Amino acid sequence: MRIYLTSLITMLLSITVIAQQPAPKLGLTLSGGGAKGLAHIGVLKVLEEEGIEPHFISGTSMGSIVGGLYAIGYTTADLERLAKETPWLDYFNDDASRNAKPIEAKEIKERYQFSFPFEDGKIQVPKGFIKGTKMSMLLAQLTSPVHDVENFDDYYIPFRCLATDLVTGEGHLFDSGSLADAMRSSACIPTVFEPMEIGDKTLIDGMFVRNLPVEDVKNMGADLVIAVDVGAPLATKEELTSFLGVLGQTTSFGMVRSTLEQQKLSDVLIMPDLNDQGALDFSSVDSLIAIGERAARKKLPEIRALKKKLAIVNRSQVKRNKIRDFPLNLNITSIKFAEEASDSTTLLRLLKIKTPQVLTHGELVEKMMGMYASGFFTFVDYKLLPEENGYQLFVRTKMNSNVYVRAGGFYDTNINAAILLNTTIRNLLVKGSRLSLDLRVSETPGIFLDYLIHTNTRPNFGFRIDGKWNFYPGDYYENNNLADGFAMQHAADQIGLYSGISNHSSLWLGWGTEIFVQKEVFTFQQFENVNLSQSYLFFEYSRDKLNRKYFPTKGYKIGFNGKYILSGKLRNRVDDLIDQNTNDNYYGQIEYRQIFPLGKHTSLQWFNQGGYAQLKQSNYINLFYLGNDLPYQKRLVDFVGFDYMEQLANRYAFSGLKFQIEPSDGYFLSATANYGYFELDDFNLVQEGTVLTKSAQKDYIAGVGLEAGILIRQFGPIKLASEYNVFTKNFNIYLRLGYSF
């Protein structure tokens, strides 16, 4: 009897000891893998269905983004919606939307392929293709509920993420600070993004140390670990078919070796089959999440065995606490700039927030992006810190260089190949000024200077000085057939009052002088020197809300420009007696185009244009030219159906429609039709040593065209167009490569 009693007491004591032992803690580790990391969401969905929620999370690269957001309370439904709605590839460039940029800066990104700051007496070569400003802004917005939480252990689930110290090659584990900075550092793909500077550390993607940071979640206190590895294994011999493949393989040995070691530390290893998926292919989010789900379901026996060890029995699906949402409307009660932002008055003007001010999250991000789009900064992001009755907006900025050198390349079948070299200097002589000097190197060279002084407010006010010396080819047509060629030279200087009325509108009016010279080309004798020199008053108004200059898909544009000639003279070398003064001549042009989005990939553009020239004496040199347009030359007008400079006109008006489809991102097909009317008064033409008077014309004009195009972010547009003139029955084809200048 005593023996039985002793056994019973021993058993009861054992049960008590076991009961007093804490249940094992579960860690979840999510690897890096670019777009493939979205498969983590599918795995999380299955774990939630099984009633499993980790006690700790660690992640690298995309695993740090998914894991970090899950750690602060995002649900799998939140993550899935976010993955589908975010235009991920838009965040792999630093361009603010065109409509966020001030009108003075819209064309800077639409003219040059390369741009480098000039500091300390030398050109600063970037450390990555992009600085990652837009990505930082996205992560700042997503993590706004925990901007004031410094310790990552205070999140809904304690969290760690890993980056690589670029100087030492060692891992840098984030356990506190800014979650947005931590994620951005952990996912900082070298050469794609510039390294992150955090304190005295220079950080890049954590995959180079531990792409699958299992040991880090165990160090947090995890007894059992579920690891999800979406990284790429080493390529097989058959897959190594290019030098890029070989180069990638040689840099992967250490990462793969580390991952294999980390896999051994896990208790359940989930490896979604993502061999056919690209690390930057964000086009198939649904498939990536589904692949993650399938991989997790295949591991359900192991996951359920792990549940028993975790003492999770008959637990219903996880119901997560709501993320700590900020209110729909944010009351910004104060604004503070980081220490490096010295001129807070200017920054407040650019930010356009007067405290206290109530903004939605979307409006706040729009204000921040508008500040970044001003061109004064290479980096902008923010934190929202709770304070009495609202939030303090803490803004970090990095000022742009005052000196930039830029370069671009262009090919047009009308003017052949050209290279554009630029130097831009800010705050030269006067604070708030911008001097831009362009040199075009080609068969038709040009020099272009633009000096603008204005205030930082909107509307802004100031002065603008513009100078140009520009060669461009000229063509003369007889009966719509090319008869001869010549060279045009245009030199002009303009000075006047300028106002950037808004981000989208500008007005410039003042006084200018110009000289047009028409010269023979090679052995052509038809066009002797003819020149036109005149001084004039001018005005230019533009309102541009197109979402992009090339292949726009929404928005509109309105433009007016005109000249009134104060004094001038038209001369030719054939007979001085026929020199004509051009006093009181005047020109005017108007343009309006509107884009109507028809669907996700289709749009319809309605365009209208007209011009009027009242001339005492018309000469070939002072007319409008309908055909293809040309930068810096407003009198060359694009009309589908005419070749370059094919139709002369004193007056013209036309309207047209352009249907555009974007079958895949960055690729365009369009069909265009336009119809109009022109009038040409009697005009003089210098031909074979004599002055001929050509008869007046007036007629209707019509043309149709087909165009194929590609828009490459760094290179610019590629256009191939074929056009047909309905009345003359002529075809013409042209090709353009790169930004036009």
Side-chain angles (χ1 to χ4, degrees):
M1 183 70 178
R2 183 177 296 175
I3 295 173
Y4 290 114
L5 183 60
T6 302
S7 299
L8 179 60
I9 292 172
T10 302
M11 183 177 66
L12 291 173
L13 289 172
S14 299
I15 293 172
T16 301
V17 170
I18 293 171
Q20 290 176 345
Q21 290 180 347
K25 298 289 187 180
L26 175 65
L28 175 66
T29 295
L30 306 178
S31 80
K36 295 187 287 185
L38 298 179
H40 292 316
I41 300 171
V43 174
L44 289 170
K45 290 174 69 174
V46 174
L47 295 182
E48 282 191 0
E49 290 173 5
E50 291 295 310
I52 296 174
E53 186 172 77
H55 300 92
F56 311 100
I57 299 177
S58 67
T60 294
S61 200
M62 182 59 87
S64 76
I65 296 175
V66 175
L69 295 179
Y70 195 71
I72 64 174
Y74 279 79
T75 66
T76 52
D78 293 329
L79 293 174
E80 188 168 10
R81 174 181 50 78
L82 178 65
K84 292 177 180 179
E85 294 179 357
T86 301
W88 292 100
L89 290 180
D90 284 353
Y91 293 94
F92 281 81
N93 73 83
D94 277 334
D95 284 346
S97 69
R98 190 171 187 268
N99 280 328
K101 298 175 184 177
I103 193 165
E104 302 90 3
K106 286 185 188 292
E107 292 197 3
I108 291 178
K109 284 285 187 180
E110 300 165 332
R111 187 180 297 173
Y112 312 103
Q113 280 89 0
F114 304 101
S115 182
F116 306 102
F118 188 85
E119 295 176 346
D120 301 324
K122 59 183 178 181
I123 294 175
Q124 303 296 313
V125 179
K127 299 176 183 178
F129 285 110
I130 55 177
K131 292 184 179 295
T133 299
K134 286 174 66 176
M135 182 64 77
S136 293
M137 196 81 73
L138 172 66
L139 296 177
Q141 183 180 5
L142 295 177
T143 61
S144 57
V146 293
H147 280 182
D148 61 327
V149 181
E150 282 289 314
N151 193 334
F152 290 5
D153 286 337
D154 294 335
Y155 293 161
Y156 179 70
I157 300 173
F159 175 69
R160 300 287 186 273
C161 69
L162 192 72
T164 301
D165 189 317
L166 182 60
V167 177
T168 66
E170 298 176 351
H172 179 82
L173 191 67
F174 283 94
D175 59 6
S176 63
S178 163
L179 178 59
D181 284 352
M183 291 174 170
R184 175 75 175 77
S185 301
S186 182
C188 189
I189 306 169
T191 71
V192 176
F193 294 105
E194 279 202 358
M196 280 287 288
E197 303 287 342
I198 306 291
D200 60 350
K201 300 285 187 181
T202 302
L203 303 173
I204 59 172
D205 200 304
M207 66 179 175
F208 297 102
V209 176
R210 284 184 296 282
N211 198 45
L212 186 69
V214 177
E215 68 179 66
D216 301 289
V217 81
K218 291 181 77 72
N219 290 338
M220 294 175 72
D223 303 297
L224 303 170
V225 178
I226 297 175
V228 187
D229 183 11
V230 297
L234 290 173
T236 64
K237 181 179 179 179
E238 291 72 24
E239 292 171 332
L240 296 173
T241 58
S242 69
F243 82 92
L244 289 176
V246 172
L247 180 62
Q249 185 88 328
T250 58
T251 60
S252 299
F253 294 135
M255 290 183 286
V256 172
R257 188 180 302 112
S258 166
T259 296
L260 292 174
E261 292 173 356
Q262 295 295 309
Q263 288 176 355
K264 295 174 184 177
L265 300 176
S266 66
D267 297 277
V268 176
L269 177 63
I270 301 173
M271 299 180 65
D273 183 6
L274 297 162
N275 291 334
D276 295 332
Q277 306 294 322
L280 293 177
D281 184 6
F282 290 91
S283 62
S284 52
V285 173
D286 288 324
S287 297
L288 291 167
I289 295 174
I291 290 171
E293 282 193 65
R294 287 198 297 270
R297 295 192 191 285
K298 288 181 181 179
K299 290 286 185 173
L300 278 177
E302 294 180 43
I303 292 171
R304 287 169 178 166
L306 196 68
K307 284 177 63 175
K308 293 182 179 180
K309 295 180 182 180
L310 294 168
I312 302 173
V313 181
N314 297 325
R315 184 173 169 185
S316 61
Q317 182 172 344
V318 172
K319 293 182 179 179
R320 310 205 75 209
N321 290 339
K322 280 286 185 181
I323 189 172
R324 189 184 72 181
D325 287 323
F326 275 26
L328 182 62
N329 295 311
L330 304 168
N331 185 23
I332 307 300
T333 50
S334 66
I335 300 173
K336 182 180 179 181
F337 295 98
E339 291 181 2
E340 60 266 26
S342 56
D343 190 353
S344 58
T345 302
T346 298
L347 295 178
L348 285 171
R349 288 175 179 169
L350 293 171
L351 186 55
K352 301 178 184 176
I353 298 177
K354 294 183 179 180
T355 57
Q357 185 172 349
V358 176
L359 300 169
T360 65
H361 282 275
E363 289 170 340
L364 174 59
V365 172
E366 185 177 339
K367 297 280 188 184
M368 299 299 301
M369 289 305 297
M371 184 178 181
Y372 169 65
S374 68
F376 289 98
F377 310 98
T378 59
F379 176 83
V380 175
D381 79 347
Y382 70 97
K383 285 184 181 180
L384 287 167
L385 305 176
E387 60 182 14
E388 187 176 359
N389 299 322
Y391 297 91
Q392 180 189 80
L393 177 64
F394 180 76
V395 181
R396 290 189 301 177
T397 62
K398 185 175 180 181
M399 293 296 294
N400 220 332
S401 172
N402 278 336
V403 182
Y404 265 81
V405 292
R406 298 183 169 96
F410 177 62
Y411 174 80
D412 187 317
T413 47
N414 294 316
I415 62 173
N416 296 325
I419 295 173
L420 188 67
L421 305 176
N422 170 269
T423 299
T424 300
I425 305 174
R426 294 185 183 274
N427 300 322
L428 180 67
L429 301 179
V430 179
K431 188 175 181 180
S433 66
R434 186 198 68 195
L435 172 68
S436 177
L437 179 64
D438 285 307
L439 171 64
R440 185 177 66 216
V441 182
S442 70
E443 294 178 4
T444 54
I447 297 176
F448 311 94
L449 181 145
D450 183 41
Y451 185 60
L452 174 63
I453 304 172
H454 61 77
T455 60
N456 291 321
T457 56
R458 291 285 166 179
N460 63 34
F461 301 95
F463 291 92
R464 189 169 194 172
I465 301 172
D466 175 83
K468 65 170 65 75
W469 179 60
N470 184 27
F471 284 90
Y472 57 96
D475 288 339
Y476 173 67
Y477 284 78
E478 287 276 8
N479 300 319
N480 298 105
N481 293 308
L482 182 63
D484 220 329
F486 56 94
M488 288 290 290
Q489 177 183 343
H490 181 207
D493 299 290
Q494 297 184 147
I495 182 171
L497 298 173
Y498 176 87
S499 175
I501 301 170
S502 69
N503 265 15
H504 315 296
S505 304
S506 68
L507 176 65
W508 186 24
L509 49 89
W511 173 85
T513 64
E514 65 183 346
I515 299 174
F516 282 94
V517 180
Q518 190 182 72
K519 292 186 175 182
E520 62 187 65
V521 177
F522 303 117
T523 59
F524 292 115
Q525 298 298 317
Q526 287 184 319
F527 292 94
E528 301 294 334
N529 283 354
V530 178
N531 69 71
L532 169 67
S533 59
Q534 53 194 15
S535 65
Y536 54 89
L537 299 176
F538 72 90
F539 77 92
E540 295 180 13
Y541 171 81
S542 177
R543 181 166 177 82
D544 187 346
K545 290 202 70 175
L546 298 176
N547 64 328
R548 55 191 175 208
K549 181 177 179 180
Y550 301 96
F551 313 113
T553 55
K554 58 184 177 181
Y556 65 88
K557 182 178 181 181
I558 302 171
F560 306 92
N561 72 84
K563 290 180 181 178
Y564 179 80
I565 310 304
L566 298 173
S567 64
K569 184 165 287 190
L570 181 67
R571 300 182 178 91
N572 64 73
R573 295 196 320 179
V574 177
D575 188 348
D576 289 337
L577 295 178
I578 68 165
D579 286 357
Q580 298 287 330
N581 77 64
T582 60
N583 303 1
D584 300 323
N585 286 352
Y586 54 88
Y587 303 81
Q589 288 176 288
I590 183 172
E591 175 190 13
Y592 171 69
R593 60 185 63 233
Q594 175 82 52
I595 315 293
F596 301 96
L598 301 179
K600 187 175 181 180
H601 301 290
T602 57
S603 62
L604 182 67
Q605 179 178 156
W606 178 39
F607 56 91
N608 306 269
Q609 194 163 343
Y612 187 94
Q614 179 62 47
L615 308 174
K616 290 182 177 179
Q617 177 84 22
S618 294
N619 185 280
Y620 195 91
I621 201 171
N622 61 0
L623 297 168
F624 294 118
Y625 308 92
L626 304 183
N628 299 140
D629 58 355
L630 200 64
Y632 311 112
Q633 301 301 326
K634 291 184 172 59
R635 288 191 290 159
L636 273 74
V637 179
D638 190 18
F639 183 88
V640 174
F642 284 129
D643 209 341
Y644 176 74
M645 297 183 75
E646 183 172 340
Q647 180 60 60
L648 306 177
N650 288 79
R651 292 164 290 280
Y652 69 91
F654 62 86
S655 183
L657 293 173
K658 181 176 184 178
F659 176 76
Q660 179 175 276
I661 183 171
E662 187 175 5
S664 62
D665 187 39
Y667 291 82
F668 301 88
L669 296 171
S670 64
T672 305
N674 52 197
Y675 181 83
Y677 179 79
F678 80 94
E679 292 183 0
L680 176 63
D681 299 337
D682 293 341
F683 71 98
N684 290 333
L685 174 69
V686 178
Q687 190 174 27
E688 296 180 353
T690 60
V691 178
L692 303 180
T693 299
K694 294 291 185 178
S695 300
Q697 291 178 264
K698 56 176 70 175
D699 208 345
Y700 292 98
I701 48 178
V704 294
L706 296 175
E707 180 181 272
I710 306 173
L711 188 58
I712 304 172
R713 290 189 188 278
Q714 188 64 32
F715 178 80
I718 299 174
K719 288 185 178 183
L720 176 62
S722 175
E723 299 177 355
Y724 176 71
N725 191 306
V726 174
F727 293 129
T728 66
K729 314 300 183 186
N730 287 344
F731 280 97
N732 66 79
I733 297 175
Y734 70 85
L735 173 67
R736 292 179 178 175
L737 308 175
Y739 300 117
S740 59
F741 49 76

